[in-house]
Structure formats: C-alpha cells, structure tokens
C-alpha cells in the first residue's frame, strides 16, 4: 500500500522518470528499511499465506452473500422459481381452501418404522449430555461422534425385547416426532402444512408416536402407548363435537393401527376394554399409506444378512470395502446385532406363506411387471395395449415365489430340477456350535459351519419356508418374535386362539371390527421396481462376518429383466410390493368376507410414480416412492377431502392405474393388465 | 474494487508470464493505459524489479494491500478456529465436562426413590413457546416455527413489526385476529428452555428423569399464556386436554394421584382449572365434586402470583418495569427519541394490552391486602441493595426482632407501599390527609374532552391516543393510587381493555362465597373469591424465593414528550430515597423473588387457606417453603443452585429435592412442613381479612 501512495505523485510523469523514481525510491526504501529487513522478507507470499488469503476471501464473500440473502425479502426465491418453471400450481391445501373446505374430522397420524424420532431419557456414561436429545432422527450427529455408544443405546434387550438395564430411549411425542426425519427430509411435514391451510392445528391433529423398535403389544406394556392413543382419540372426538377421527397410518403404522383396532375392543387384561363398538363410534376412515399389510420381502434380507439392494450395489462398486472391517469397525455386524433386537422388524416378514407370495414355480405377479419400464414412461401412451403383450411374449416368467435362492441357476431352474437337502434333516444332525471369539455377538456365531452349509444346500426358500430358515439360523430371535407376531392364514377365525394379541397385526388372522360405516383406504405408489426376491451366495470371508450375502453378480439377460444385482424386482413403491399393499383392499376385505364380516367398504387409490421434473421440485409432487409419496399432491388432496368430510365414493372410489379391461382410467401413463383381480383373485382362498 | 480485482488477476493469472521479460514489454504499454491500470501494472513491475535485485527467481513476492491483509487475517482466524473446533470435537466428551455437582436427582436415586406419582408441569406467563400456524404474507416461511421462546429470537430482529402484529390478539375479543393463528408449543419442549441455554423447566425435568420419570408420567400442560384462562378452553380446549391427560396418567400409572407443579401465572391458571374441572358442563369440565380429591395429590406452587404482582401495573400503565426505567435513566432519549420511527414502547404496549392474561396478574384484594394510603402489611421492611449476600442474611434474620426499633428511625422515609402509583415523590410520602383524593367519580369522561386529539394522530395505537391532554394531566395531578383506585384508573385510561378483560377476571374479595354469582368463571382464578375444592387429602405448597428486592409500588411522572402516539406517563427514575430506603429509581421495593412480593406468594398459604377457613372449607393442608436467595458463588454455577429469583429458582436444588420427594410419595410433613425466612406471618397478621 505504501508504495502506491508514495508513487502517486509521479503518475503523470514519463515512464522513464517513473522507472528512475521507483529505483530511487527502492533504494531509499532499502536504506530506510534495512533495519527491518527481517520483517520485510517475511511479508512475501508463501503458500501458507496464499491459503489463508484464499480462505479469508472465500469466507468474506460467503458472509457477504449470506448477508444479502438474509436481507432479501422472503418472497424472492418463490418469484425466481416461478420465473424459471412458470406459475406454480397451488398446493392442495390452498386449492381446497379456495373451494371452501374447512376443518371437519380430527386427524390422527400413525408414523411407520424408522421415521419416528427417538430420544434418550437415561443412558450409560458414554452418552452423557445427550439427555432428551434425539438419538434417532434429526441430524444423527451422535452416530458419527460415538457410533458404538449410539448402537448400544439404540439396541434393546436381547431376551426381552424391552429396555436394557440402565438405558431408556423413548419416542419423541407430538407432531415434531415425525414431521421431518432429518433436517430438510420431510415425512409428514407437507401433509401437516396442507392440512393447516384449511384450518387444522394442534387440537385437531395428533401424531400417535410410538417406539417403533418394540413389538406392538410391548409399546403398551412399557409406555402405555395404545392407551394414550385411545385416550387422545376419545378426547378429540369429544372436543370436536362428536366428529369421528380420520386415521392416516403410514408404512408399518398400518400394521400398528390394525393391532390398535383389535386391542381397543378387546377386554382389559390384554386389550383396551373399549367395547365392541369403539371403532364404529370413533373412527370415520383409515387411510393407509403404503401399507405393508402382508409384509415386505426387504425385511427378510434385512434379518437374514442386514442388507438390501442399496448395500448390495455399494458392495459391487467397491468390493471388499464393506467386508474388510475397515478400522475394525465391523459395521454390519454391529448393525445386525442392533436391528435384531428390534422386534418390530419381524412384524413385516411376509405373511400368508406360499398362498399369498407364491410357491416354487408360480407367483401372483407372474410376469406382468415390466422392469425396464422406466424408459418407456413418457412415450408409451400412444401404443396402449401393445406393450404388455409384447412384454408378456418376450419375458420369461420370474419365479418371484422363491424369495431366497442360492445361485442364479437355482433361481431360474424349474423346481423339479433342483436338488434340495432337507433342512429338517440337517437340523436333527446338528452339532454343537463352535463358539468363536468374536467381539460382537450375533446368532450366526452360535450356529456352526455345518448349519450354514445346510442352509445353502436347501437352495430355494419360499415365503413359507423362509420362516423355517429364520428359525433355523436365529432361533432366539424368532422365539422372541414369535410371541408377538404370527405369519399364517387363519382357517377358522372363530377359533379362540385368535384372541391372542400376536395375531392382531396380521390381517389374515383377524377380523376387522364391526363398523360398517368406517372406510378403509389403501393408498400407495406404483411404477417403481421393488425388491421381491433375492439370489444369495455363501461368503467366503472369515469367522466373524455374516455368512450370507446377496449375489450381486447375478444379472438378468436383457434390459427388461427383473433380475438386477441379485435382486428380483416387482411393481411397487420401492419398498412395499403392490401385492402386499393392495391385496387386502382389493380382495381380502372387499365386500363381506370372513376377514371383514361387517362389510367395511374398501378403496384402492394408486398413485403412478413420476420423478420430479426438475431440481426445484425437490422430492417431487407426484412421487410414488414409499416415503416421498407423503408429498404427493394427489394423495394429499385425497386425504384432505376425506378429512373435510368426503366419503370414498365422493373421491371417485377406486383409483387404479387402469381398469380390468386394459383401458387407462386415470392418468393413463402406462397400461398394465390389472392383476389384482384376475390373477391374485384366485389366490386368497 | 475494480482495480483491486484486476490487480489480483495480474498477480495470479499472469504471474508466471510476468516473471519473465514480458514484464518489461507490458511496462512499455503502460503509458497508454488509464491511471488506475498504470498504478497496478507499475506496481507490479516495481515488485518485479525488487525481485530481480534480490535475485529470487523462484517466487514472485507481491506486496500486501489492505484488503489482502484483511483477507489473510480472516482466513487465518477461520482456519485456527476450525482447527480448535476440530480438536475440541476430537477430545473425548468426558474430558471437557465441567465436573457438575451431583444434582438432587442423583442423590435421591441413591436413596432409592423412584417415580411414583405422575407429575404435571404448568408453565407461567411468557416462558411458554408460541408457534405460528397461519399468518399474513410478511410471516412467510415461519409455519410451525417459534415466534416466541424456545429457539432464538432472530425473527424478532429480522421483522419486528410483523412479529408484533402476529403476537397481538384481537383488541375487542381477546382471541385470534382475522387470518392469524398462533398456538402454544405442546409437550415438554414448550417450556423447557426459554432461549438456548436459558433453562426454565429443563433442570427439574432432568432431575425427575433420574428417578425414572419419562413421557408417560411427566406432562407439560402448555397453554397459550396470552389468552384469558377460560379462552384457552374456548379456543384450544386446553383445560379439557389437561383434564383428559391427568385422568389418563392417573389410570395408566396404576391409579396414582397426580402431583401438579405450576409456576408463576400457571399457579392461578391451575386454580382456575381446579374450579373448572368440578363445575358442570356448559361452563366447566363436568368432572363432578370429587374429581380433585380423586386425581390430585398435591399442588406445588412455585413462585405463586396468587394475589397478583405490582409489576403488571406498571406494565399495563406505561409498558415499563424497573429494568426499562433504569435504562432510561442511563441513556435518556434512547427510547424516547423514536429512533428510526420505531416507537418501540408504544407498539409493545399495544401488543401487551391485547393480552388478557396480564390483567389476571393485577393485584387482587384491593386495600385490604395491599394496603391503603397510609399503611401496608409490609411496613417496616428494610431494604438493602448491597449485593453482599452474607451481610444481607444477617440483616434480614435480625429484621424480625429489630423491625420495631428500626421503624422508629425510619419513620421519615417510610415506604407507603399501599400507594401503588403516586405521581411525584411528595405524593408518595405525604400523609394522605394532605393529598387530593382520588375519587373514582372523577374518572368519568366528559363528552367535550373525549377524542379530542384523535384526528391529528391518525391511527390510534394505544388507548392513550383517545384521551385528551386535559384528562391525562388530570390523572397525574399530584395524586396517589391504591390497588382499589388503581383499577378505576386503568378503567379510565384503557376502558376497552378493561372491559374486555374484566369479563374474565375479578380482583375483589368475596363477602359471601355462597352467592351464586361466584359460580361464574371470572372469579375462579382469584383465591379470594373462590372456595378450594372439597379434597381434604390434597396438599397445597407455596414455594418461593425470598431475599431479593421486588417491585412493589411506583413513583410516576408525566412524560416530557408531548407528541401524540407516545405514552404520557413514565416511571420517575430520578426519585431516590436515602440510604436504607426502599425507594430507588422511582420504584419502591419489598421482599420477594424479584417478580412476586412475598405478600402475594405466601399470604394464602400462611393465612387465607391455613386451617379450615371460608376459602378452604375442607381444610386442605398448606405448607410454606421459602428459599433464601443466594447468588451463584462462581461463574461455573451458571444461574445458581441456590437462587431464589423468580425463574432461576427452578434450578434451586433444595426446591427440586422437595418436589422430587413429594412426587416420590412423601407428604408435606415428611419433607419438613413450613420453612419460613421472611416476615410473611407478621404481614399476614396485619391483614384484616375475615376468614
């Protein structure tokens, strides 16, 4: 700076002079500053200085922009968005308010697995300072800071499925429990905001938060959650002029609420003692979003080897990375041990056995789903009716019924050609487990190599034999879970044994309550490939690892094949296959059936998946994915209309992607043969 | 800026080139360039020459310019900060933790106490969080964000007017204004922290959790503290929800009665609830006469404002308190000079006057309780503003014995606490016979003076704008007001507000409690106009801090500011008493917890409800638990574990221990019965109230 200022006087002079001047001045400077030469030298740019300068520059600019951003009026981002994408469509709340809809029925949200927040109430030394902080949901900051401590606190007791001694982790209560899963990742928030537009607020909305790690009955035993839900519903009905509630369960919440409806009418020691008319008096409609009524295949791979498609893909990209115990963390084993203490994961094991999910050589889905359909979405409207036929002709039947098969050839071969060694035989000939010295206990260490081989030798497992498999590899887990959940189909629903609570969350082993005015909706996304069956292999790794892995090398032949990376996909919402989400409403409960003796009307509302058109849309307003569907405008509109008093018929009854004769009725983007009726129709009995 | 940027470009992009002889070429071109460029380039070349001279061909040194240095410093600081932060996070958590004193939770857990009775917390005024559910365009993006409490108050600084508008209620109805819905934050988060790090209930909750409390047996009865109590039921069903919650907790915790812990205004809210719940349906909750006896074990009132607080008077009258008037004295003109035309006080006053709940805190019981022109129950109280806690302790303990003696000495400057507002110091000191009487009849507006200057001021923000200059001066003409005449005064200066609020609250004393008019809800929150419910097994605790000077009455003056839209009255902060006087900065102080005087907090437990009285026909046991204030001894203690001040007492270990023992099953006698430090018994004796 000083140089510049001193030289200012010479600006107008000739360059020669200037140069002289500079030289002279420089000499002068040298004379002047010779005593300070040391400091002068240090003022030169070094790499370190440049770094500092750069960081400082970036910081300053950043702060400056931040300041500008904060002083900017709040309406500008919206304005910009509108300028880019054209005028935004009104969110359904605003639209319906203009139509004159207002608050009518109180609304109860039942969150699903994983999406609800959990907070710490009592912990070990390592979790100090986390009192009433979120362990699950929110930022997950603690997961990175003290992972082992975190896993320890998130686990339940291995024997009882309740709190381990000295640890109390409890669900967050209120709407904040599940409005956002992590910062910016909405779950219920969009729906809540839209309901608020037509006048809903805290007194007419209730989030039935529960500890989703526990088995359903245990939430009542430990936290009295079911009693609280009952009391809150009664309160809301009473304070809102006797208006019945509209219940909106999502994902596992669907099963939880099914359990609740049985519990509330059952007599006291086991149930809530609400009497046989409680549901009829208090509930107007149950609007199930993405309900895994009959379970999800994902839970099998989760329990069997803690992996799903995402992890399997990561494994193919970086083979060895996940297996090699980086830093000795043994991530998977820790995860497996933790998730295996959660009873709730067992509520979603596929129910109904081979009858529902298909046997060795057939499955209800057949080959109807075009797994390569993603590319066809936009241009397929014109050739209606041709595509399915072509696909049917080209594609081999996928053996979805074989939920786990060892090896791709096994997965595709006809059942008569597969040699299987009976699991039960090897069970009898079981040897004592060789106890290994692994740090982490998972049940795989208790079963010997012999058993692992036996598992692989059986080769193919259907939904029915999956249960045997799980009993075989993790007997303790299944013994604990078996006390709370059941996966069969009832032959005689009047059998007194079905009064036990373990049957309450299985729609195939319970009757719906006697509430003919109630309505049941099945609302779910379709058009996304969803995990349906797996190809496994035995890992060759060392002692302390999980002995089975999805065989990511198994790929289908063509583009359209449903086998990708060891996973067979079917139609669904990315998590729940259509079969599980829709069957009960399409057939099991349709009309007066033995599962639905009072003839509660059921409605199917399917939402075709369309990915967000551009980045500004975030997670999309027409998404059909399992969680993102909570931001689907069409679904929100349906929910709001029902909450404001509409019935299922007024909504338009069933909203399927196409009618049985193949003519698209709604949206009509992609015609599909309507298999709920013709194929699956034959299934349930 | 432009030249600087260009210079940087030269330095960085072309530096490699410039190191060679090209520098000389560019030097020749320099002449044709404009001045600035010349500057830059020649400077660059100059640097080059230095470079050559020094024979350091490797690196080209560049001079420091101011901006570069700034950037460098910022960068340096940032980097260091990040490094430190990184190390901080790498350190094991236990290493950095301040060794905390084992709280009462840990101690009692060792003694073997466990959760027994469910606990209901009832927050007071101001401490509860409020969030937005529907608002005007200016509040875009704040949906379900906190407008008040909890998080940071950044929004208040960003859009103050918008916030004030949203926090205000409708002036006529006292409910939501059109198109705005602001609701209480439910759950424990509603009032655990008021602002980040400033606990309210958090310490109590944490200690209760140590002995096993959690969501199922611990409930925060959050309500919208701006509304009148009955309106929380009408708008939000808050009372019904509380009733249902208590019943649920009672049943699901094995038929164990509930311990209620209200704080501050929550105390009278809960009093209202107790009456409401037993009253038959159209007005009440229909729980039937035995409800309280069946469901409630104890009501542990913390810092109870049973008989109101004088602070509410100054707040309603001129939107200021002790703190504000101090600031005014320090920096006169800051508030008055309308910086940026904000008119902060007027706007705040306008907002606060829409809140019915503040009216619930006006002193109740009139002159009988709070004293008349010449005498008050506290008379003889000696004030000591020195901050030394030790000397204070000794002084106040002697106080009881010496008070008679001291009164003799201090007769000249005796505080006339009964005159809750006096205009000018003389009016506060002179004997009543020498004062002009404040007759309520005078407060009748003549049609001539009404709305006189309304037109010149445009929009009327406060009701003061509707008063004529004449009547404003008339109010102030050297007069003193007691709690009884104060109500007339307020009715005069703010008729609309008082009309609205007095439909919900009453401030008198009942002659005959069996009069059917006392079945109306407006009497329910006044302990002097209701009977306690018939629940002989219930216990009532009055727990409060003592030993802190607490605002008790005020000396006012006309504000020098004569513009319209300003508040015409101000606390006269130039008035100070002599040493030992209780008058300081225009405010008379009495003993209390900094907000609530002992008189208001303790009288009902000490006398009004003690034994079988007409206010307490079933003889519910009452206990007084006083906690002497001790300021934190070191910074590590934060807000102190022995504090007695109104909010900080929630972190007082002795108080927490008492609550936990009762929650775990102890009775009042088991925790030690009464524990009295102040003059409350003597004061109560001086109050001549028929029981």
């Amino acid at each position: 700076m000083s140089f510049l200022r001193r030289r200012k006087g010479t600006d107008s002079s000739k360059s020669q002079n200037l140069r002289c001047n500079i030289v002279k001045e420089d000499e002068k400077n040298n004379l002047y500053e010779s005593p300070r030469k040391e400091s002068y030298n240090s003022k030169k740019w070094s790499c370190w200085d440049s770094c500092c300068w750069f960081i400082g520059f970036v910081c300053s600019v950043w702060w400056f922009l931040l300041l500008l951003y904060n002083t900017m009026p709040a309406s500008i981002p919206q304005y910009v968005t509108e300028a880019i994408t054209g005028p935004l469509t009104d969110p359904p709340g605003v639209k319906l308010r203009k139509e004159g809809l207002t608050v009518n029925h109180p609304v109860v949200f039942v969150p699903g697995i994983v999406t609800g927040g959990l907070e710490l109430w009592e912990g070990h030394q390592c979790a100090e300072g986390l009192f009433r902080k979120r362990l699950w949901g929110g930022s997950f900051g603690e997961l990175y800071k003290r992972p082992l401590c975190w896993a320890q606190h998130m686990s339940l007791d291995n024997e009882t499925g309740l709190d381990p001694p000295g640890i109390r982790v409890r669900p967050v209560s209120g709407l904040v429990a599940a409005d956002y899963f992590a910062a910016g990742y909405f779950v219920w928030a969009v729906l809540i905001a839209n309901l608020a537009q037509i006048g809903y607020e805290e007194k007419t909305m209730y989030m039935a938060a529960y500890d989703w790690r526990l088995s359903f009955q245990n939430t009542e035993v430990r936290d009295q959650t079911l009693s609280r839900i009952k009391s809150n519903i009664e309160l809301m009905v009473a304070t809102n002029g006797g208006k019945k509630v509209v219940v909106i369960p999502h994902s596992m919440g669907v099963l939880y609420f099914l359990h609740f409806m049985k519990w509330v009418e059952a007599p006291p020691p086991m149930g809530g003692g609400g009497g046989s008319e409680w549901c009829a008096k208090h509930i107007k409609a149950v609007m199930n979003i993405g309900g895994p009524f009959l379970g999800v295949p994902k839970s099998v791979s989760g329990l069997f080897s803690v992996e799903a498609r995402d992890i399997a893909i990561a494994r193919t990209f970086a083979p060895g990375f996940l297996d090699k115990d980086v830093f000795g963390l043994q991530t998977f084993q820790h995860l497996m041990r933790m998730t295996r203490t959660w009873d709730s994961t067992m509520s979603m094991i596929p129910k109904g056995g081979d009858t529902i999910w298909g046997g060795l050589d057939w499955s209800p889905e057949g080959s109807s789903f075009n797994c390569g359909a993603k590319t066809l979405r936009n241009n397929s409207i014109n050739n209606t009716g041709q595509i399915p036929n072509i696909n049917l002709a080209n594609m081999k039947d996928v053996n979805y019924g074989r939920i786990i098969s060892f090896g791709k050839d096994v997965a595709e071969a006809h059942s008569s050609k597969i040699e299987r060694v009976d699991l039960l035989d090897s069970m009898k000939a079981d040897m004592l487990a060789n106890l290994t010295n692994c740090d982490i206990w998972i049940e795989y260490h208790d079963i010997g190599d012999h058993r692992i081989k036996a598992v692989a030798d059986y080769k193919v497992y259907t939904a029915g034999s999956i249960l045997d498999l799980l009993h075989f590899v993790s007997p303790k887990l299944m013994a604990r879970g078996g006390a709370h959940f059941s996966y069969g189909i009832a032959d005689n629903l009047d059998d007194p044994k079905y009064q036990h609570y373990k049957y309450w969350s299985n729609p195939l082993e319970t009757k719906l309550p006697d509430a003919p005015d109630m309505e049941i909706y099945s609302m779910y996304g379709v058009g996304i490939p969803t995990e349906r069956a797996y190809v496994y292999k035995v890992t060759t790794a060392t002692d302390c690892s999980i002995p089975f892995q999805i065989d990511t090398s198994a790929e289908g032949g063509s583009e359209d094949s449903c086998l990708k990376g060891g996973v067979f996909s079917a139609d669904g919402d990315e998590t729940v296959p259509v079969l599980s989400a829709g069957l009960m409403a399409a057939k099991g409960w349709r009309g007066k059936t033995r599962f639905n003796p009072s003839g509660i009307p059921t409605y199917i509302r399917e939402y075709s998946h369309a990915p967000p058109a551009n980045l500004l849309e975030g997670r999309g307003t027409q998404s059909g994915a399992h969680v993102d569907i909570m931001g689907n405008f069409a679904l929100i509109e349906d929910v709001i209309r029902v909450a404001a008093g509409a019935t299922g018929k007024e909504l338009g009854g069933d909203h399927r992607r196409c009618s049985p004769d193949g003519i698209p009725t709604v949206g009509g983007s992609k015609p599909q043969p309507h298999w709920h009726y013709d194929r699956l129709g034959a299934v349930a009995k | 800026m432009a030249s600087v940027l260009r210079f940087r470009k030269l330095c960085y992009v072309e530096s490699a080139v410039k190191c060679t002889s090209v520098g000389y070429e560019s030097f020749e071109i320099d002449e044709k360039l404009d001045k600035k460029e010349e500057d830059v380039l020649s400077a660059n070349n100059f640097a080059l020459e230095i470079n050559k001279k020094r024979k350091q061909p490797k690196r080209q040194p560049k001079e420091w310019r101011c901006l570069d240095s700034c950037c460098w410093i910022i960068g340096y600081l940032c980097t260091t900060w990040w490094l430190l932060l990184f190390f901080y996070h790498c350190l094991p958590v236990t290493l950095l933790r301040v060794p905390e004193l084992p709280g009462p939770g840990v101690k009692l857990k060792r003694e073997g106490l466990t959760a027994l009775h469910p606990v209901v917390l009832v927050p007071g005024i101001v401490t509860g969080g409020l969030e937005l559910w529907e608002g005007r365009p200016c509040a875009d993006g704040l949906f379900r964000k906190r407008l008040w409490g909890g998080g940071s108050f950044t929004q208040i600084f960003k859009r103050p007017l918008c916030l004030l508008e949203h926090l205000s209620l409708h002036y006529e109805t006292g409910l939501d204004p059109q198109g705005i819905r602001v609701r209480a934050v439910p759950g424990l988060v509603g009032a655990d922290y008021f602002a980040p790090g400033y606990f309210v209930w958090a310490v109590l909750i944490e200690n209760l959790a140590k002995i096993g409390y959690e969501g199922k047996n611990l409930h925060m009865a959050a309500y919208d503290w701006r509304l009148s109590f009955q309106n929380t039921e009408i708008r939000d069903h808050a009372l019904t929800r509380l009733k249902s919650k208590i019943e649920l907790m009672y049943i699901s915790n094995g038929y164990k009665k509930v311990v209620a812990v209200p704080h501050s205004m929550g105390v009278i809210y809960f009093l209202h609830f107790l009456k409401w719940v037993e009253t038959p349906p159209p007005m009440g909750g229909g729980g039937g006469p035995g409800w309280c006896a069946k469901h409630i074990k104890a009501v542990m009132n913390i810092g109870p404002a049973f008989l109101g607080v004088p602070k509410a008077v100054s707040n309603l009258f001129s939107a200021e308190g002790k703190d504000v008037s101090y600031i005014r004295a320090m920096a006169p003109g800051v508030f008055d000079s309308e910086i940026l035309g904000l008119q902060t006080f007027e706007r705040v006053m306008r907002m606060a006057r829409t809140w019915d709940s503040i009216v619930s805190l006006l002193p109740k019981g009139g002159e009988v309780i709070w004293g008349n022109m010449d005498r008050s129950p506290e008379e003889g109280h000696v004030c000591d503003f020195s901050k030394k806690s030790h000397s204070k302790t000794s002084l106040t303990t002697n106080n009881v014995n010496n008070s008679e003696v001291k009164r003799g000495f201090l007769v000249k400057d005796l505080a006339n606490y009964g005159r809750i507002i006096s205009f000018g110091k003389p009016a506060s000191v002179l004997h009543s016979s020498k004062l002009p009487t404040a007759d309520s009849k005078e407060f009748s507006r003549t049609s001539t003076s009404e709305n006189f200057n309304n037109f010149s001021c445009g929009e009327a923000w406060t009701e003061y704008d509707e008063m004529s200059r004449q009547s404003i001066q008339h109010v102030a003409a050297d007069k003193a007001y007691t709690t009884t005449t104060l109500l007339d005064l307020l009715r005069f200066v703010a008729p609309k507000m008082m009309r609205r609020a007095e439909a919900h609250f009453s401030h008198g004393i009942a002659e005959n409690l069996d009069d059917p008019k006392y079945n109306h809800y407006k009497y329910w929150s006044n302990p002097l106009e209701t009977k306690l419910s018939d629940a002989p097994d219930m216990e009532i605790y009055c727990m409060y801090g003592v030993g802190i000077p607490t605002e008790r009455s005020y000396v006012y003056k006309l504000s020098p500011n004569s513009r319209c839209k300003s508040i015409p009255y101000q606390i006269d902060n130039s008035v100070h008493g002599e040493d030992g006087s209780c008058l300081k900065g225009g405010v008379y102080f009495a003993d209390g917890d900094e907000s609530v005087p002992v008189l208001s907090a303790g009288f009902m437990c000490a006398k009004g409800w003690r034994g079988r009285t007409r206010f307490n026909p079933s003889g519910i046991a009452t206990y007084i638990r006083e906690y002497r204030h001790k300021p934190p001894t070191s910074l590590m203690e934060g807000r102190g574990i022995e504090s007695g001040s109104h909010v900080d007492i929630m972190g007082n270990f002795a108080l927490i221990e008492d609550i936990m023992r009762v929650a775990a099953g102890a009775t009042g006698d088991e925790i030690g019965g009464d524990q009295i430090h102040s003059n409350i018994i003597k004061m109560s004796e001086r109050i001549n109230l028929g029981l």
Side-chain angles (χ1 to χ4, degrees), chain B residues 114-125:
Chain B
T114 50
L116 188 69
H117 295 279
V119 172
V120 174
L121 312 174
V122 188
I125 196 168

PDB file of all heavy atoms in Angstrom, chain B residues 114-125:
ATOM      1  N   THR B 114     -37.980 -43.718  43.640  1.00  0.00           N
ATOM      2  CA  THR B 114     -38.327 -43.942  42.237  1.00  0.00           C
ATOM      3  C   THR B 114     -39.605 -43.205  41.919  1.00  0.00           C
ATOM      4  O   THR B 114     -40.322 -42.751  42.813  1.00  0.00           O
ATOM      5  CB  THR B 114     -38.553 -45.441  41.942  1.00  0.00           C
ATOM      6  OG1 THR B 114     -39.443 -45.947  42.930  1.00  0.00           O
ATOM      7  CG2 THR B 114     -37.262 -46.208  41.962  1.00  0.00           C
ATOM      8  N   ALA B 115     -39.876 -43.129  40.624  1.00  0.00           N
ATOM      9  CA  ALA B 115     -41.071 -42.413  40.177  1.00  0.00           C
ATOM     10  C   ALA B 115     -42.306 -43.078  40.762  1.00  0.00           C
ATOM     11  O   ALA B 115     -42.454 -44.292  40.707  1.00  0.00           O
ATOM     12  CB  ALA B 115     -41.141 -42.431  38.656  1.00  0.00           C
ATOM     13  N   LEU B 116     -43.184 -42.286  41.351  1.00  0.00           N
ATOM     14  CA  LEU B 116     -44.412 -42.846  41.895  1.00  0.00           C
ATOM     15  C   LEU B 116     -45.626 -42.088  41.333  1.00  0.00           C
ATOM     16  O   LEU B 116     -46.359 -42.622  40.519  1.00  0.00           O
ATOM     17  CB  LEU B 116     -44.393 -42.784  43.419  1.00  0.00           C
ATOM     18  CG  LEU B 116     -45.540 -43.508  44.103  1.00  0.00           C
ATOM     19  CD1 LEU B 116     -45.402 -45.002  43.918  1.00  0.00           C
ATOM     20  CD2 LEU B 116     -45.568 -43.178  45.589  1.00  0.00           C
ATOM     21  N   HIS B 117     -45.781 -40.853  41.746  1.00  0.00           N
ATOM     22  CA  HIS B 117     -46.932 -40.088  41.276  1.00  0.00           C
ATOM     23  C   HIS B 117     -46.586 -39.403  39.953  1.00  0.00           C
ATOM     24  O   HIS B 117     -45.519 -38.831  39.821  1.00  0.00           O
ATOM     25  CB  HIS B 117     -47.300 -39.023  42.310  1.00  0.00           C
ATOM     26  CG  HIS B 117     -47.770 -39.608  43.599  1.00  0.00           C
ATOM     27  ND1 HIS B 117     -49.047 -40.061  43.778  1.00  0.00           N
ATOM     28  CD2 HIS B 117     -47.127 -39.846  44.766  1.00  0.00           C
ATOM     29  CE1 HIS B 117     -49.174 -40.541  45.007  1.00  0.00           C
ATOM     30  NE2 HIS B 117     -48.021 -40.427  45.628  1.00  0.00           N
ATOM     31  N   PRO B 118     -47.514 -39.452  39.001  1.00  0.00           N
ATOM     32  CA  PRO B 118     -47.277 -38.696  37.763  1.00  0.00           C
ATOM     33  C   PRO B 118     -47.189 -37.205  38.070  1.00  0.00           C
ATOM     34  O   PRO B 118     -47.781 -36.739  39.041  1.00  0.00           O
ATOM     35  CB  PRO B 118     -48.518 -38.985  36.919  1.00  0.00           C
ATOM     36  CG  PRO B 118     -49.242 -40.080  37.599  1.00  0.00           C
ATOM     37  CD  PRO B 118     -48.809 -40.129  39.007  1.00  0.00           C
ATOM     38  N   VAL B 119     -46.427 -36.493  37.270  1.00  0.00           N
ATOM     39  CA  VAL B 119     -46.192 -35.073  37.521  1.00  0.00           C
ATOM     40  C   VAL B 119     -46.716 -34.246  36.352  1.00  0.00           C
ATOM     41  O   VAL B 119     -46.476 -34.581  35.196  1.00  0.00           O
ATOM     42  CB  VAL B 119     -44.683 -34.815  37.735  1.00  0.00           C
ATOM     43  CG1 VAL B 119     -44.404 -33.326  37.794  1.00  0.00           C
ATOM     44  CG2 VAL B 119     -44.207 -35.482  39.003  1.00  0.00           C
ATOM     45  N   VAL B 120     -47.445 -33.196  36.670  1.00  0.00           N
ATOM     46  CA  VAL B 120     -47.916 -32.267  35.646  1.00  0.00           C
ATOM     47  C   VAL B 120     -47.243 -30.922  35.874  1.00  0.00           C
ATOM     48  O   VAL B 120     -47.304 -30.376  36.976  1.00  0.00           O
ATOM     49  CB  VAL B 120     -49.443 -32.086  35.713  1.00  0.00           C
ATOM     50  CG1 VAL B 120     -49.897 -31.016  34.744  1.00  0.00           C
ATOM     51  CG2 VAL B 120     -50.144 -33.376  35.411  1.00  0.00           C
ATOM     52  N   LEU B 121     -46.588 -30.402  34.871  1.00  0.00           N
ATOM     53  CA  LEU B 121     -45.952 -29.097  34.974  1.00  0.00           C
ATOM     54  C   LEU B 121     -46.844 -28.056  34.291  1.00  0.00           C
ATOM     55  O   LEU B 121     -47.323 -28.287  33.185  1.00  0.00           O
ATOM     56  CB  LEU B 121     -44.576 -29.118  34.301  1.00  0.00           C
ATOM     57  CG  LEU B 121     -43.669 -30.289  34.678  1.00  0.00           C
ATOM     58  CD1 LEU B 121     -42.408 -30.269  33.827  1.00  0.00           C
ATOM     59  CD2 LEU B 121     -43.306 -30.247  36.145  1.00  0.00           C
ATOM     60  N   VAL B 122     -47.068 -26.935  34.965  1.00  0.00           N
ATOM     61  CA  VAL B 122     -47.895 -25.882  34.379  1.00  0.00           C
ATOM     62  C   VAL B 122     -47.044 -24.618  34.264  1.00  0.00           C
ATOM     63  O   VAL B 122     -46.736 -23.990  35.266  1.00  0.00           O
ATOM     64  CB  VAL B 122     -49.136 -25.592  35.245  1.00  0.00           C
ATOM     65  CG1 VAL B 122     -50.060 -24.637  34.517  1.00  0.00           C
ATOM     66  CG2 VAL B 122     -49.865 -26.863  35.598  1.00  0.00           C
ATOM     67  N   PRO B 123     -46.624 -24.264  33.062  1.00  0.00           N
ATOM     68  CA  PRO B 123     -45.739 -23.106  32.912  1.00  0.00           C
ATOM     69  C   PRO B 123     -46.458 -21.794  33.178  1.00  0.00           C
ATOM     70  O   PRO B 123     -47.688 -21.742  33.173  1.00  0.00           O
ATOM     71  CB  PRO B 123     -45.280 -23.196  31.464  1.00  0.00           C
ATOM     72  CG  PRO B 123     -46.332 -23.973  30.787  1.00  0.00           C
ATOM     73  CD  PRO B 123     -46.930 -24.898  31.787  1.00  0.00           C
ATOM     74  N   GLY B 124     -45.685 -20.760  33.390  1.00  0.00           N
ATOM     75  CA  GLY B 124     -46.259 -19.455  33.687  1.00  0.00           C
ATOM     76  C   GLY B 124     -46.358 -18.581  32.454  1.00  0.00           C
ATOM     77  O   GLY B 124     -46.270 -19.059  31.321  1.00  0.00           O
ATOM     78  N   ILE B 125     -46.524 -17.302  32.693  1.00  0.00           N
ATOM     79  CA  ILE B 125     -46.627 -16.361  31.584  1.00  0.00           C
ATOM     80  C   ILE B 125     -45.253 -16.206  30.944  1.00  0.00           C
ATOM     81  O   ILE B 125     -44.230 -16.443  31.585  1.00  0.00           O
ATOM     82  CB  ILE B 125     -47.167 -15.004  32.088  1.00  0.00           C
ATOM     83  CG1 ILE B 125     -47.660 -14.146  30.938  1.00  0.00           C
ATOM     84  CG2 ILE B 125     -46.124 -14.258  32.899  1.00  0.00           C
ATOM     85  CD1 ILE B 125     -48.451 -12.946  31.396  1.00  0.00           C
TER      86      ILE B 125
END
